[in-house]
Amino acid sequence: MKSIFKTFSLIFVLFLFVQCKTETKLDKTISVENTVKYAKGFSIENYDGFSIVTVKNPWPKASKTYTYILKEKNGIVPDSLSQNPIISVPIQKIVVTSTTHIPSLEMLDEEKNLIGFPNLDYISSKKVRTLIDQKKIKELGNNQSLNTEVILDLQPDVIIGYGIDNNNPTLDNLQKSGLKVMLNGDWNEETPLGKAEWIKFFGAIFGKQKKAEELFTKIEKEYLKTIEIAKRAATTPTVLAGDMFEDKWYLPRGTSWGSLLLKQANANYLWQETTGTGSLSLSFETVFEKAKNADIWLTSGQFSALKEMTDANPHYTQFDAFKNKNVYSFTRKRRKTGGVLYYELAPNRPDIVLKDLVKILHPELLVGYEPFFFEKLQ
């Protein structure tokens, strides 16, 4: 009897020892290099059997960091990480909440796994619109008050949410109901390649990190190549952006995504010296005084013809760019339900946006290229 007890005790001690060794070994692996290069809002670290995705800046001045564990089949997650949300990957059913998430699904060939979205009319992707017409994607209301009943019925593997601040009770309630929620902060990135790199976030949850890396590398290569082409320009045209909305003229701040694109296209954006990543809100008089002689005018998505502009504000005709018909807009690529393709796809494809801008500003540098997003208004 004593012999049996000693044997059992030895086995138990050995079991504990093996477990402790395994746990220690896993803990020691927590030093893997982040695979994200440009984006400031998230990181990905890969380990044997699991990955750690850390979202650092889902909205401006966010005070909290969000950590998610992506667990592969048969993967072992260390106890030291078990307090974080653990999501089994690759996922099969997904809900996303921003049109900027759609291109990543499509580029990774995962759009068929989309089962719900808030305000389906905003989606422009032809592939996804076909799935909507086939009733394969459910309408979820709007982003700030998602239809929780429908989502609970759908039981997605993960919900990709976003917020403009720390107040999103709908997502909190869905988490309390047992569903997995991951925050995505692509919209808060300050650089074009930083925004585009969020395809790696989706690559991680679909188990397609290699493919996401390949797709991003192609975008990065084309983007950097176009910057070098733009440097050969003989001139630097002056650029006015935006237009009036409810008595205020909105245009990009000098350190925003849009302003950086113009700078890298070798343009003299007239407000490039301002700071901040959002929009400036100015009076018509202030804009006119500074930009009346601008060479090029890039409007917002409000207008698709010059007459629409003059109907909205007859004073637009006083700008040289309007007089010379050098006004461009991205609004004409609009789907039948009203979604504007630029808002959906441009953050993922800054290489295309940059080529468009270089063609507009320096047409001699890209002979034979036809802008994809932008068109000259008639």
Side-chain angles (χ1 to χ4, degrees):
M1 187 69 183
K2 287 183 179 180
S3 176
I4 294 172
F5 180 77
K6 286 181 180 179
T7 302
F8 176 79
S9 298
L10 179 61
I11 291 171
F12 182 70
V13 170
L14 285 171
F15 175 76
L16 283 178
F17 179 70
V18 170
Q19 285 293 94
C20 289
K21 277 190 69 178
T22 302
E23 186 64 40
T24 303
K25 184 179 179 182
L26 283 168
D27 279 342
K28 285 183 177 179
T29 67
I30 310 300
S31 59
V32 178
E33 184 179 356
N34 174 26
T35 63
V36 178
K37 291 171 61 177
Y38 297 92
K40 302 298 183 184
F42 81 112
S43 63
I44 301 174
E45 297 170 334
N46 295 313
Y47 309 98
D48 185 17
F50 68 96
S51 300
I52 301 176
V53 175
T54 304
V55 177
K56 308 167 188 175
N57 201 26
W59 51 78
K61 299 180 181 179
S63 59
K64 182 180 176 182
T65 295
Y66 297 83
T67 301
Y68 308 99
I69 311 303
L70 306 184
K71 179 180 173 295
E72 300 168 18
K73 186 177 181 181
N74 300 322
I76 300 173
V77 177
D79 290 342
S80 58
L81 297 174
S82 61
Q83 77 277 12
N84 301 296
I86 298 174
I87 300 163
S88 297
V89 295
I91 62 165
Q92 301 298 320
K93 298 189 297 179
I94 188 170
V95 164
V96 301
T97 54
S98 170
T99 55
T100 60
H101 305 159
I102 301 293
S104 292
L105 303 188
E106 191 171 329
M107 291 163 70
L108 292 166
D109 298 319
E110 296 291 345
E111 71 277 356
K112 290 182 180 177
N113 290 321
L114 178 63
I115 58 173
F117 185 85
N119 206 328
L120 293 172
D121 286 349
Y122 287 151
I123 295 178
S124 297
S125 162
K126 289 183 179 179
K127 288 184 178 180
V128 178
R129 290 236 60 89
T130 298
L131 295 171
I132 292 169
D133 292 340
Q134 294 171 352
K135 309 298 183 186
K136 293 182 178 179
I137 303 173
K138 294 286 188 180
E139 173 63 67
L140 301 180
N142 65 71
N143 191 57
Q144 297 306 312
S145 56
L146 297 170
N147 190 324
T148 55
E149 187 176 333
V150 173
I151 295 175
L152 288 169
D153 186 54
L154 289 172
Q155 285 294 300
D157 297 327
V158 68
I159 301 161
I160 308 300
Y162 76 92
I164 57 174
D165 53 32
N166 196 32
N167 182 30
N168 200 321
T170 304
L171 293 179
D172 294 341
N173 289 334
L174 287 168
Q175 284 183 297
K176 290 174 183 176
S177 299
L179 295 179
K180 305 293 186 180
V181 175
M182 295 180 73
L183 291 174
N184 179 297
D186 58 359
W187 69 278
N188 201 32
E189 292 289 339
E190 298 179 6
T191 65
L193 288 177
K195 284 182 182 288
E197 198 168 18
W198 279 80
I199 191 173
K200 295 181 182 180
F201 173 95
F202 289 96
I205 61 179
F206 283 111
K208 291 186 172 181
Q209 288 198 57
K210 183 179 179 182
K211 182 169 184 176
E213 183 69 45
E214 290 171 353
L215 288 165
F216 177 74
T217 298
K218 289 179 182 178
I219 292 168
E220 176 192 28
K221 183 179 178 181
E222 285 301 308
Y223 188 87
L224 297 177
K225 177 183 173 182
T226 305
I227 289 176
E228 293 304 310
I229 291 172
K231 288 178 181 178
R232 303 202 296 261
T235 61
T236 307
T238 52
V239 173
L240 163 65
D243 42 52
M244 297 290 291
F245 181 75
E246 293 183 352
D247 299 324
K248 288 293 181 182
W249 194 302
Y250 293 94
L251 63 168
R253 289 183 180 271
T255 51
S256 67
W257 175 77
S259 179
L260 183 56
L261 276 161
L262 287 168
K263 181 179 180 180
Q264 293 178 329
N266 207 345
N268 177 15
Y269 174 51
L270 293 172
W271 279 268
Q272 64 187 4
E273 300 305 321
T274 60
T275 58
T277 58
S279 297
L280 290 167
S281 173
L282 305 174
S283 68
F284 179 92
E285 291 75 19
T286 300
V287 174
F288 182 70
E289 182 180 357
K290 190 167 186 173
K292 60 183 176 182
N293 301 126
D295 299 311
I296 303 290
W297 185 354
L298 303 174
T299 72
S300 70
Q302 290 191 77
F303 307 113
S304 57
L306 295 176
K307 186 177 185 305
E308 289 181 14
M309 295 182 69
T310 56
D311 288 346
N313 190 329
H315 299 297
Y316 287 151
T317 60
Q318 298 175 42
F319 290 89
D320 284 357
F322 191 97
K323 294 174 185 176
N324 298 325
K325 295 186 177 181
N326 282 327
V327 184
Y328 294 82
S329 175
F330 50 77
T331 191
R332 296 186 70 178
K333 272 195 166 58
R334 187 187 296 269
R335 299 308 183 209
K336 62 182 180 180
T337 55
V340 177
L341 184 61
Y342 182 87
Y343 295 136
E344 183 173 307
L345 183 58
N348 281 66
R349 296 303 307 270
D351 55 324
I352 299 176
V353 180
L354 187 60
K355 282 184 179 180
D356 280 12
L357 293 174
V358 171
K359 181 64 177 180
I360 291 168
L361 296 161
H362 316 289
E364 74 283 357
L365 297 181
L366 290 176
V367 177
Y369 177 77
E370 290 295 327
F372 179 79
F373 291 114
F374 287 88
E375 294 183 44
K376 181 181 281 193
L377 295 188
Q378 304 295 328

